[in-house]
């Protein structure tokens, strides 16, 4: 039995690992490569293996860098089962449709403006068909993936429905346990539970390493900082404009604002959620209270976490535009998370030049994005081809990261290692994936210092599970 590292090897995106046990083949994730457009388009179009060789797929969570190529496999003829948690399956319904929609739009744009004709990787109907092949499983229950392979999901604490996967592999007399971390979240994040390291031991661990070289600010600090920003901006009569990822971050913000209002820590000003995808994602969250963190008071005492008198979900573009003519302090949360597209652009064009306003940055901002230029406090921003002076305050909150930092990742691995290996000898072999080389090298060093056997595979590397 062996594993081949097909994607997210020496990089963060494109998560995909090929597991072979006997004559069976199972894919762990099949995510989209993201980054420079032309480069990632070529990588995404290359199938990890012929679809008729795949017996089953196990999906760790709904993020596009993990699930984004599933509709492509289905479009190419994959007919097998895609196993996921129930919440992941439901989030995929909106996220894969949205991804298909973006690709159709991109292809259309290139055809009209650059006379470049490309086929979208897949279409909305492929995303719909993918949904029919997904089977939702509860956490902590073993299920048969295919002959010789059974699996169990445990909470990864990263986004709603996210899971780490323990796989039991049988080939003849050989029995091995493989743990795939998925993306590991932070302890103390609102709504979702804390990560729970798999408890059955492992011969091999495939572990993410996104923040293998840094520590984050504490989550509780982020909440206090959010409260301070809202109070100060409201006192100036300004707006708080928040570019936010539609799935996950937006719901955490709604939740924290809900709690801050209840505790009287921020004034009662309207909160507008101006993103159709965020609105749809929020309804999926509301469908899955079974995976909420019952140790949080708001979860225990409130029947509807995301619906309270101050919060309003805008329906169409005219309602979105009408916000610009409204007076008085307010909070506007809109996609996209790096302010590259989406309705946040209209709010920034209108609001960035007003010194009473605050632009609140709550997520990672990649190079060459408008979000990054805001973080750098450029004096002039370019929005829809127009020059807009940046006079608004800019505040950055780091504590909301959905990924554990190096201390949290190491703690998770320590817990998995403490459970031993199935035959009681030695310790699990750790393979680091899902990280930039710099973060991976630093994290591998740190782990070796704690006595781990660690490797950082290159794309295409194949190793025997021993
Ligand atoms: Zn993720
Ligand atoms: Zn990821």
């Amino acid at each position: 039995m062996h594993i081949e590292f097909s994607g997210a090897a020496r990089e963060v995106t494109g998560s995909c690992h090929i597991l072979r046990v006997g004559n069976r083949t199972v894919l762990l994730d099949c995510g989209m490569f993201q980054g420079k457009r032309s480069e990632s388009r070529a990588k995404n179009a290359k199938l990890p293996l012929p679809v008729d060789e795949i017996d089953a797929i196990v999906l760790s969570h709904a993020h596009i860098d993990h699930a984004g190529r599933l509709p492509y496999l289905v479009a190419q003829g994959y007919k097998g089962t895609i196993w996921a948690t129930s919440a992941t399956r439901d989030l995929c319904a909106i996220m894969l449709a949205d991804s298909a929609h973006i690709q159709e739009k991109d292809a259309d744009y290139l055809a009209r403006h650059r006379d470049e004709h490309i086929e979208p990787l897949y279409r909305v109907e492929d995303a719909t068909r993918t949904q029919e092949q997904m089977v939702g499983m509860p956490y902590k229950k073993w299920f048969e993936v295919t002959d010789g392979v059974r699996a169990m999901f445990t909470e990864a604490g990263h986004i709603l429905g996210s899971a780490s996967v323990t796989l039991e592999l049988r080939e003849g007399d050989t029995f091995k346990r493989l743990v795939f971390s998925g993306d590991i979240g932070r302890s103390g994040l609102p709504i979702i539970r804390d990560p729970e390291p798999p408890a059955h031991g492992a011969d091999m661990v495939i572990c993410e390493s996104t923040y293998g070289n840094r520590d984050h600010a504490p989550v509780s600090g982020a909440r206090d900082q959010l409260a301070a920003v809202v109070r100060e901006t409201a006192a100036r009569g300004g707006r708080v404009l928040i570019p936010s990822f539609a799935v996950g971050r937006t719901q955490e913000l709604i939740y924290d604002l809900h709690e801050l209002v209840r505790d009287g820590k921020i004034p009662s000003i309207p909160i507008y959620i101006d993103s159709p995808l965020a609105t749809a994602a929020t309804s999926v969250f509301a469908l899955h209270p079974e995976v909420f963190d019952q140790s949080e008071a708001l979860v225990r005492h409130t029947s509807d976490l995301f619906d309270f008198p101050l919060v309003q979900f805008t329906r169409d573009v005219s309602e979105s535009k009408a916000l610009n003519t409204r007076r008085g302090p307010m909070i506007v949360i809109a996609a996209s998370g790096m302010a590259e597209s989406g309705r946040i652009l209209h709010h920034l064009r209108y609001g960035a030049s007003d010194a009473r306003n605050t632009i609140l940055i709550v997520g990672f901002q990649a190079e060459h994005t408008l979000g990054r230029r805001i973080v750098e406090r450029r004096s002039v921003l370019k929005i829809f081809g127009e020059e807009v002076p940046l006079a608004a305050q800019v505040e950055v909150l780091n504590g909301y990261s959905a990924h554990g930092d190096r201390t949290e990742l190491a703690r998770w691995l320590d817990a998995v290692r403490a459970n031993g290996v199935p035959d009681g000898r030695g310790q699990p072999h750790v393979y680091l994936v899902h990280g930039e080389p710099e973060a991976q090298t630093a994290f591998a060093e740190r782990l070796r210092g704690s006595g781990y056997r660690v490797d950082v595979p290159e794309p295409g590397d194949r190793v025997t599970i021993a």
Side-chain angles (χ1 to χ4, degrees):
M1 43 184 92
H2 55 253
I3 193 116
E4 182 183 326
F5 301 95
S6 168
R10 298 239 134 218
E11 64 182 314
V12 171
T13 64
S15 178
C16 184
H17 312 297
I18 305 168
L19 169 66
R20 290 199 172 88
V21 179
N23 57 0
R24 300 288 161 158
T25 300
V26 176
L27 283 195
L28 305 178
D29 289 352
C30 196
M32 197 94 99
F33 291 97
Q34 292 158 320
K36 277 208 183 102
R37 249 177 209 210
S38 51
E39 233 171 73
S40 27
R41 184 174 296 141
K43 281 163 91 174
N44 285 326
K46 192 168 172 284
L47 286 174
L49 76 174
V51 285
D52 55 8
E53 285 181 23
I54 309 169
D55 293 293
I57 300 174
V58 180
L59 174 64
S60 66
H61 65 289
H63 275 151
I64 289 303
D65 63 314
H66 297 257
R69 279 193 296 163
L70 295 173
Y72 184 47
L73 294 179
V74 169
Q76 300 298 312
Y78 176 67
K79 297 208 161 43
T81 300
I82 301 163
W83 302 94
T85 66
S86 306
T88 293
R89 181 201 57 206
D90 292 350
L91 275 181
C92 277
I94 54 169
M95 294 180 75
L96 296 179
D98 183 65
S99 165
H101 185 65
I102 289 169
Q103 290 169 69
E104 288 183 4
K105 261 189 354 200
D106 278 359
D108 190 49
Y109 178 89
L110 288 175
R112 275 188 297 132
H113 296 274
R114 302 212 190 130
D115 203 27
E116 231 182 90
H117 296 275
I118 56 152
E119 258 306 287
L121 199 58
Y122 50 85
R123 297 175 181 278
V124 172
E125 57 263 31
D126 301 314
T128 310
R129 279 165 53 210
T130 304
Q131 210 55 34
E132 289 167 4
Q133 287 166 238
M134 291 190 76
V135 174
M137 293 304 294
Y139 286 93
K140 291 188 172 180
K141 291 261 192 298
W142 289 106
F143 56 94
E144 293 293 322
V145 176
T146 185
D147 290 348
V149 180
R150 65 174 197 151
M152 181 195 274
F153 291 124
T154 50
E155 180 62 69
H158 167 66
I159 60 161
L160 190 85
S162 64
S164 301
V165 192
T166 303
L167 297 124
E168 289 193 342
L169 320 173
R170 278 172 211 282
E171 189 181 305
D173 293 338
T174 315
F175 171 78
K176 295 288 172 194
R177 247 184 224 128
L178 165 67
V179 165
F180 171 41
S181 69
D183 286 359
I184 302 171
R186 306 196 67 188
S187 294
L189 283 177
I191 315 166
I192 54 171
R193 298 174 295 205
D194 293 350
E196 188 182 340
H200 293 83
D203 295 282
M204 179 194 274
V205 182
I206 302 174
C207 185
E208 71 123 316
S209 50
T210 320
Y211 289 112
N213 58 350
R214 57 171 280 194
D215 284 318
H216 300 312
V219 180
S220 57
R223 205 162 297 153
D224 295 342
Q225 216 184 330
L226 172 67
V229 166
V230 172
R231 278 196 308 267
E232 285 157 20
T233 311
R236 292 194 300 266
R239 306 167 167 223
V240 182
L241 304 176
I242 314 180
S244 173
F245 295 102
V247 181
R249 192 60 37 83
T250 293
Q251 290 74 29
E252 290 167 4
L253 286 167
I254 300 172
Y255 178 97
D256 274 355
L257 290 167
H258 191 174
E259 192 160 50
L260 291 170
V261 169
R262 273 171 62 115
D263 295 349
K265 290 184 176 157
I266 55 172
S268 296
I269 60 173
I271 301 162
Y272 295 99
I273 312 304
D274 190 21
S275 153
L277 183 62
T279 303
T282 306
S283 345
V284 175
F285 269 67
L287 278 177
H288 288 284
E290 81 280 4
V291 296
F292 293 171
D293 189 344
Q294 293 300 327
S295 71
E296 295 172 25
L298 193 62
V299 168
R300 280 201 311 277
H301 300 307
T302 321
S303 57
D304 200 336
L305 295 177
F306 308 106
D307 196 7
F308 52 104
L310 293 174
V311 72
Q312 292 180 50
F313 294 85
T314 58
R315 280 185 298 265
D316 49 31
V317 178
S318 64
E319 260 188 42
S320 166
K321 286 188 176 152
L323 292 182
N324 288 335
T325 57
R326 211 158 289 192
R327 289 169 183 283
M330 64 174 79
I331 299 167
V332 180
I333 303 175
S336 69
M338 299 191 200
E340 275 299 273
S341 56
R343 293 186 186 171
I344 192 67
L345 287 177
H346 295 277
H347 298 294
L348 290 172
R349 172 163 70 171
Y350 181 83
S353 56
D354 187 335
R356 292 172 301 174
N357 296 343
T358 303
I359 304 173
L360 183 61
I361 301 292
V362 292
F364 175 75
Q365 305 296 316
E367 265 181 281
H368 313 299
T369 60
L370 179 62
R372 175 67 80 94
R373 289 190 275 277
I374 293 171
V375 171
E376 292 166 353
R377 296 176 172 79
R378 301 277 177 95
S379 55
V380 176
L381 304 172
K382 205 156 200 182
I383 306 174
F384 294 129
E386 245 174 61
E387 298 208 327
V388 180
L390 175 59
Q393 312 292 311
V394 175
E395 298 283 346
V396 179
L397 297 191
N398 286 319
Y400 281 105
S401 172
H403 285 274
D405 58 25
R406 59 184 172 189
T407 306
E408 290 167 305
L409 290 176
R411 205 185 299 140
W412 187 91
L413 275 170
D414 287 346
V416 174
R417 178 168 71 167
N419 295 317
V421 296
D423 69 3
R425 281 177 295 144
Q427 59 159 316
H429 197 141
V430 178
Y431 289 85
L432 297 182
V433 296
H434 200 291
E436 300 291 347
E438 208 184 329
Q440 295 192 305
T441 307
F443 194 47
E445 287 291 296
R446 184 189 168 112
L447 291 174
R448 285 185 193 116
S450 312
Y452 280 92
R453 287 194 296 161
V454 190
D455 275 302
V456 187
E458 299 287 335
D461 276 3
R462 185 190 271 216
V463 298
T464 301
I465 302 170

